[in-house]
Amino acid sequence: MTEPLVVVDGLSVDFTTRHGPVRAVRDVSLTLRAGECLAVVGESGSGKSVTARTLLGLAGQGADVRARTLSFAGHDLRRLGARQWRRLRGRQVGYVLQDALTSLDPLRRIGYEVAEPLEVHGLATRDDLDDQVVGLLAEVGIPDPEVRLLQYPHELSGGLRQRALIASAIAARPRLLIADEPTTALDVTVQAQVLDVLAARRDAGTALLLISHDLAVVARLADHVAILYAGTVVEQGPAAELLAAPAHPYTADLLAAVPSVEGPVPDLSGLRSAPAAQEGCPYAPRCPLADDRCRERLPEALPYDTGRLVRCWYPGGAPASVPGERSAVPVVPARAEPVLTVRGLTKRFRSPDGSHRTAVDDVSFDLAAGEALGIVGESGSGKSTTARIVLAEFEPDAGSVLLHGEPWSGLRERDRRARRSRIQLVDQDPLSSFDPRYTVEEVVAEALPRTRDRGERVAELLGQVGLDPAILRRRPGQLSGGQRQRVAIARALAPGPDVLVCDEPVSALDVTVQAQILTLLTRLRRDAGVSLLFISHDLGVIRQVCDRVAVMKDGKVVETGQVETVFRAPQATYTRALLAAVPRIGPGPRVPARPRVPEPVPVTDLKGPT
Amino acid sequence: MTAPALARPYRKVRPGLWAAWAFLALVCCAALFPALFAGAPDQVDATAVLRGPGAGHPFGTDQLGRDILARVVYGARASLFVGLGSTLLAGAVGSAWGLLAALGGRAVGEAAMRLADILLAFPGILTALLVVAVLGPGTRNATLAITIALAPGFARIVRVQALVVRDSAYVRAAINLGLRPWRILRRHIVPNVLAPLLILATLNVGTAIIAGASLSFLGLGPRPPAPEWGSMLAQARNYLDVSWTLALFPGAAITLTVMSATAAGRALQARYERREP
Amino acid sequence: TRGGDRPATQAAANAAGAPVTGGTLTYAVAGTQVSLDPAVAATAVTGLIDRNIFDSLVAQTGPDSFGPWLAKEWKVSDDGKVYTFTLREGVTFHDGTPLTAQAVKASLDHVVDPATKSAYAASLIAPYKEARAVSDLVVEVTLSRPFTPFLQALSVPYLGIQSPAALAKPVAEYRPVGTGPFSYVSWEKDKRVTLKRNPGYAATPAGASHQGAAYLDGLVFEFVSEDATRYGALTSGQVQAIAGVPPVNADKLKALSGFTLDTQETPGLNYNLYLNQTRGPLRDVRVRRALSASVNVEELIRSIYFGHYKAARNPLSATTAAYDVGAESELASYNPTEAARLLDEAGWKEKDKDGYRVKDGKRLTLVWPFWAEGNKDQRDVLAEGIQAQAKLVGIQIDRPTVDTGAFVSKHLIGGGYDLIDVSFARPTPDVLRFAFASGNTYAKAGGNVALVDSPEIDKWVEEAAETSDPETARRDYAAVQKEVLKQAYVLPLYTPVQLVGLSGKVRGVTFDAQTYPVFHGAWLGA
Amino acid sequence: MPPLARWLARRLALTLFVLWGTATLAFAGMRLVPGDPAHVIAGGVQANATPEVLETIRAQYGLHDPLPVQYAIFIGRLVRADLGESYQLNQPVSTVVLEQLGATVSLAAGAAVLGFTLALVLALLTAGRPRAGALTRALEFCAISTPNFWIGILLLGAFSFSLNWFPVLGEDGPRALVLPWITLALPIAGVLAQITREGLERALGQPFTLTARSRGATENRIRLRHALRHAALPVLTLSGWALGELLAGVVVVETVFARQGLGQVVVSAVNGRDFPVVTGVVVLAALTFSVINTGLDLLYRVVDPRVRQAAL
Ligand SMILES: Nc1ncnc2c1ncn2[C@@H]1O[C@H](COP(=O)(O)OP(=O)(O)OP(=O)(O)O)[C@@H](O)[C@H]1O
Ligand SMILES: Nc1ncnc2c1ncn2[C@@H]1O[C@H](COP(=O)(O)OP(=O)(O)OP(=O)(O)O)[C@@H](O)[C@H]1O
Ligand SMILES: [Mg+2]
Ligand SMILES: [Mg+2]
Ligand code: NI
């Protein structure tokens, strides 16, 4: 093996904030060699980005960085002055920030952004700058680079933006490339392409530090994986072994929570959520194995198996989550009356340039009582628009929606109002759907009829969605993402609806929280007998909750059927491509860089990721 | 998943803010109960003209031998009356106007906003000047003039805010719940539009006080002998060479009041924004 | 009548050394003007500037005496209606037109022509009927009735003799062209008027300190309305002379080396407060006298004007002919006890919670409109003092701010006021007729703003205006002064004073009967 | 570029509408005033015009016509860019305005340049530097809270009367303009500096700044090439307001420094009910403002590509 390029030993980063110190990273040790990919995985707030930024000397304002060793190519990073840091950044270490939407300067052309490292480090003359940028854009698989060069970030789709950002990061041919959540918020097909670009760099000998909260993404690229929990590396080791046989209970839970499109649907009802502990093992509050020792003392990183390190008193002791067959999902009697009948929905929108674009095109489906219908499709395929027509937020241009066989679309709002409570919505972003001035209690209570026992009903509903009544007086802004989504579900359930429309209800949540919400929805369906119209771009998620699925592309439903049937034997080519692009955590060697696939993103697609 | 939270530098509780609140309270007291702080503001004393600060007259005396302290104290009323009165009125008129423009249908909305465009087409003081030209000078008319100058700005902001709120996810949620439009308007739209407006209004009090003082400086506000800071400054201009206290104290009173009001408004705003997620 | 005594006071008594020719003098004046045509404009500034451009037919040489100027001599008919003037020979206007009887006729006709929209000049010669050129240099003016103040009127700049050629031009192209020591160069609106020397000047008025062309090459009138700024401009050397030195700065200026202060008391009507005797509480002479007695004019004037303005005790300025010293015994001078007694007697016994007197549930409130544009000399401050003092005896004085239109139509013409303040500079006792004759209300283009309607006063002023006996006139005028003070139609405040600030370099500035500075003999020393 | 053309056409229509509206409001306002303008035209108080003279004037200025007729005549003239003749000055309004325009423009333009520069420099130097910012922040706050006539009075007292550094009076030469410029510039500089700094700080906290840093860009490069553009957006939005404040300040500052200019014209016209002049200045102000705002919006579109394809 070659000399390690990056050596991090005992790194701790603390922040001073208004609410006291935040220990973002605690005692993290990592090494990375040229041509290798190290993946850092963990849920939101676990310290992934801070760790990465420390390697660039950009930990942030008020950061207190301590380490026993912090070296890059043999240079002690702790001793660098401002000027030396600048020489390192971009030149030696390329950084792809998470969220390409805001990481490119919206007021500057793509070409400028890509060229900046070259300019800063004096690597290009004025004349060949454009050529170099075009080359870089082509290298990351951006079609028509000469055109893209002159465009602004908002004129590019999410995938293209992400690739432009990568192009900028690799412009100066750095020896280390840090990619911070490079595929979050991208459609699976686009995600696959971006990963290919990164794989190509790795294969070209660049060391790759890949940051993700998604184990499935990591599985495709990483040689080594480090699992971060609350700022601590709880487990690290070679990717294949670690994923095949997680040693830390957290890793095990994480793996189990990843919804997959194949294999058994796991029963996740045992997953717990609790804030990380400050003392002892941070995972102890959530760990099924935790005992007093765990709560008192955090173990050292102990060797485990071959070349692995685990910080757990009971490494490998976690019970592999029991794969319960789909027993949790109630099977709908075939003769059930449709609650919702959707026929030939069509909706056109005017684009700013005056042209019309069909967002929903002749969509029809039925939803039976107690049934769960999933709608999948890439971004912009018309899923949300369909949902909003079903909710009668606006009228379709053609087609109709029937509720319990009676007209629902095409009415005056006044005539619909009494039946509004029959259909409720759970949104991707619950926070904005709460009046900022309302407390949790008021939010839920508003959905209830004004009766004497309203207070009790609120408490009951919160119990139903697994929330502590202690949060009644809080405002939604003070809740975690998972809690907010539970409040939203409680509110949606309050009027006793027949249909619950869920538009990407979990796509903003960490996998474990996501798993909990999905379990909750499944349970509610069983207990309350509501039908679900479940929208997601994530096939695994759909599979976990739904009986039937409708696949949408460009406003049309290209395929419908029972979930298992569709996923096992997709008929439409689009469905097949979609399934093929889904990253899988499988045993076996890491995937080599695939040959570049043809660009599927149309040049005219200006829509960003949702 | 989220952009790195580059936390803003930590802000301490500033003593300046406390001073601002205290000073505001003082000014309000002076406006309400001037007699507690000073003697008569219009008592002429020909034997003690243009005295510097000293015993009996802590701020000195003016060209008629009147006590400057008393005049500054009594002047608080006019300034606050103009500042608060016009802001409140403009806030009320502007809110109704903006809400109407946002929620009152296309034709009404267009008409309301075009009227605002016209009034906003030139600087506020010019509008105020014109209004004073029509109505004639005086405290009440100056207040009205500033109201008319401020209201279209408020209307525009209220309209934008009302549109944002109207299209917000939580109003959508309320519609989904089958709530009646009137209830949604009352419980969701109006409060969420007015909360930021109230803060904006607080920030505007200072502007209105300055505008009021400017009008009376130009001789279009309250008339002497009624004590008023702007007109005191206008008269003081003639004595720059002789007595510095004459210009200093009313001017400082304006600056400090405006500063305090603005600081208080900003503090409220910061609090409001922090409360938002 | 002819007079010969030296009229104008000699300023800069230290005018040592021989006069030097050359240089430009900049004189900063307050206010601005709307027209340079003296026949059109009424403002003092126009008079001041035009005095240097235009000569008059006659020159006022004393309170009641006149000397030759453009008219070398004149005759008045026995009935006092026909004036025959013989002009000087060889005088030419700045544009080369010779001065003839026709020119005089054209000038006077121009003044009374309604198209001219004369703001003031026409009212000075209201009885003017016609002028006739008897010969080239003899002009005969006919009046509709005898009018003694006619000569005085002719002596003011507003009736300066203008070039007929210039007057023949369209109004838009008007340029002031006269025969005076300076000729017009340019007028930058609201900024300045520039004049240059008339090298061929010879038509000096009687009593002039200097003969022939002016010493100064140029004369610039700079308009600076802000008192403090004007003062600052003098002390910082930006201008050589200013009008209206703020009294508050006057002592300081005197003390400053290199500067002099020249004080000129203005003749005519003092700055007086007129009490509208036709309206409300002021119909009662006791209330009028009470108001008069409630104000300590002496003390107010002293403190506001630092002793540079004199408190007045007579509607007429002491420098006016027929000024009667004895009249002031009739003045209800400061005596708050007496004021209170008079008010009690008049039925204003009770006081309300604000300390104002009430009668039949009505408060003793007087309206004194404030016309901001007319404000100068800190008169607003003085009014504040008067308000404060009247309050002490229980009289409320309201000062609503009014604009010009409303001031004229609602107040001056409509009579919607109780008090009004005016000063009126004109060096003749005939101003008493202007101010108190019943036929001279503002609505009838007069100055009787107290709306005095007294047959006696009317009789006195008419007699004085028409008589040719100076003694009768004097007696009549004295009677008027006594009567208006006794009736308290008027509360004299102060005698306006021209406080002219001069840089020490400026020499030889004199003042005419109207107390306008005359620059004919001025020169700039080292 | 058709969208731009369409946008400009809409702006033009809006401008015309606003001009008509302001003119109409001014007309209505001035006609609501009690009092007979004939007296003003005749020369005001001292004129003491006779009824005949007044009658001539009323006839000449059409004051006898019914209001709709007067309004129609007024609008008709306005369309031909004829603002009528001043009541007080016996001159065409356009002449009055043009004569004074230069003085006002040089005052306002200089102050604008000074104010914007000051704001920019202060903000660039202190953004994201709390220690350096504290003092300037306090000073800006003072400047914002102080009416500019008081600033003017203080400056005049200190630098002209006491120290004699600047002329008390003077129409010509930049030396006489220094104090008025400062007086006008300080309050808007205070506001703009705060806005700019806030914009800079917000931009400096954005991920793209972090990206730029991660490329090795220097602090200056980040501030000038990235953050400044972003800070320019709110500043542009506020520039219309700031310029308006400036024009409004002109009215007061001209009074304080006894300068001639449009501000003085308008104040004396308002006081003297010189209706044509008031209307003229108001229409001119509305026009200037519309032009400035259109220019600013155009500039905004140049700086921010995102709004380019958005409609008006
Ligand atoms: N500049 C800062 N000041 C204060 N706290 C910070 C700062 N930057 C990060 N933190 C805190 O440090 C912790 C780790 O943050 P980090 O951004 O590394 O999380 P992450 O694992 O990247 O999460 P995500 O998946 O949401 O991006 C969080 O609790 C965060 O709030
Ligand atoms: N109000 C609207 N006005 C104009 N176009 C719209 C509007 N709403 C949606 N669209 C367009 O309609 C198309 C479908 O949008 P929709 O939001 O239904 O997609 P989606 O499948 O929900 O995508 P995502 O996964 O990104 O949420 C998109 O191209 C979108 O730009
Ligand atoms: Mg992160
Ligand atoms: Mg969607
Ligand atoms: Ni003295």
Side-chain angles (χ1 to χ4, degrees), chain C residues 34 119 190 238 403 408 442 445, chain D residues 39 45 47-48 168-169 260 273:
Chain C
V34 290
D190 288 341
Q238 284 183 268
D403 62 84
V408 175
Y442 186 87
Chain D
H39 287 287
V45 174
N48 203 345
V168 177
L169 157 81
Q260 300 308 322
R273 293 296 146 92

Side-chain angles (χ1 to χ4, degrees), chain A residues 375-395:
Chain A
I375 300 183
V376 286
E378 63 189 10
S379 186
S381 56
K383 307 182 297 286
S384 297
T385 309
T386 307
R388 297 183 68 177
I389 297 175
V390 166
L391 285 161
E393 275 180 24
F394 43 71
E395 294 292 326

Side-chain angles (χ1 to χ4, degrees), chain C residues 276-293:
Chain C
N276 179 354
Q277 60 96 25
T278 64
R279 209 178 96 122
L282 293 185
R283 275 195 294 248
D284 188 333
V285 64
R286 289 169 297 194
V287 181
R288 295 202 297 272
R289 287 192 66 92
L291 176 66
S292 178

Side-chain angles (χ1 to χ4, degrees), chain C residues 247 250-251 254 305-308:
Chain C
D251 281 338
K254 260 198 210 158
Y305 301 110
F306 301 90
H308 293 282

Side-chain angles (χ1 to χ4, degrees), chain D residues 19-68:
Chain D
L19 287 185
W20 167 79
T22 41
T24 304
L25 280 187
F27 180 88
M30 297 312 278
R31 286 303 137 107
L32 285 177
V33 186
D36 186 349
H39 287 287
V40 180
I41 302 172
V45 174
Q46 287 129 321
N48 203 345
T50 57
E52 301 84 62
V53 171
L54 291 176
E55 204 48 41
T56 325
I57 287 169
R58 287 192 196 106
Q60 188 185 336
Y61 285 81
L63 297 174
H64 281 307
D65 296 335
L67 274 185

Side-chain angles (χ1 to χ4, degrees), chain D residues 43 57 108 110 113 142 171 200 211 214 233 245 262 276 286 310:
Chain D
I57 287 169
V113 171
C142 268
E171 297 300 321
L200 281 174
T211 309
S214 79
L233 294 178
E245 281 298 291
L262 279 185

Side-chain angles (χ1 to χ4, degrees), chain A residues 138-408:
Chain A
E139 187 177 343
V140 295
I142 293 182
D144 305 324
E146 294 85 356
V147 180
R148 300 298 183 187
L149 188 72
L150 296 174
Q151 285 186 315
Y152 288 94
H154 73 277
E155 296 176 299
L156 264 53
S157 71
L160 288 181
R161 247 179 274 178
Q162 191 69 58
R163 275 181 269 186
L165 205 55
I166 295 174
S168 163
I170 62 173
R173 305 290 154 195
R175 295 160 75 184
L176 170 65
L177 179 63
I178 303 174
D180 195 345
E181 314 244 11
T183 60
T184 309
L186 295 183
D187 284 332
V188 275
T189 44
V190 184
Q191 182 175 333
Q193 292 154 13
V194 169
L195 291 178
D196 287 340
V197 173
L198 293 176
R201 291 312 310 160
R202 179 200 60 192
D203 295 345
T206 308
L208 183 62
L209 185 66
L210 177 67
I211 291 171
S212 182
H213 63 278
D214 188 343
L215 274 174
V217 166
V218 159
R220 281 201 42 198
L221 275 185
D223 300 290
H224 294 272
V225 176
I227 309 286
L228 218 53
Y229 185 76
T232 313
V233 176
V234 292
E235 175 169 14
Q236 60 179 313
E241 287 103 83
L242 190 144
L243 296 177
H248 196 280
Y250 175 60
T251 319
D253 284 346
L254 208 55
L255 269 169
V258 176
S260 93
V261 290
E262 56 201 9
V265 175
D267 176 13
L268 299 168
S269 44
L271 278 182
R272 284 187 276 174
S273 68
Q278 293 297 309
E279 295 290 313
C281 174
Y283 196 60
R286 280 167 70 176
C287 185
L289 305 174
D291 58 16
D292 285 348
R293 185 163 59 146
C294 297
R295 281 183 273 274
E296 275 157 23
R297 218 151 58 79
L298 174 67
E300 286 303 308
L302 304 169
Y304 176 83
D305 209 21
T306 40
R308 293 168 67 181
L309 291 170
V310 185
R311 277 201 161 183
C312 182
W313 294 118
Y314 306 105
S321 28
V322 198
E325 257 309 315
R326 307 187 51 112
S327 57
V329 179
V331 177
V332 185
R335 52 176 172 68
E337 281 284 303
V339 185
L340 198 65
T341 315
V342 172
R343 287 290 169 269
L345 284 193
T346 302
K347 182 75 191 174
R348 272 184 294 275
F349 286 115
R350 243 181 91 119
S351 312
D353 58 16
S355 69
H356 286 269
R357 105 177 245 144
T358 310
V360 175
D361 195 354
D362 194 21
V363 167
S364 305
F365 57 81
D366 286 326
L367 182 64
E371 189 192 27
L373 172 67
I375 300 183
V376 286
E378 63 189 10
S379 186
S381 56
K383 307 182 297 286
S384 297
T385 309
T386 307
R388 297 183 68 177
I389 297 175
V390 166
L391 285 161
E393 275 180 24
F394 43 71
E395 294 292 326
D397 293 333
S400 64
V401 181
L402 304 180
L403 185 64
H404 291 299
E406 285 170 43
W408 175 247

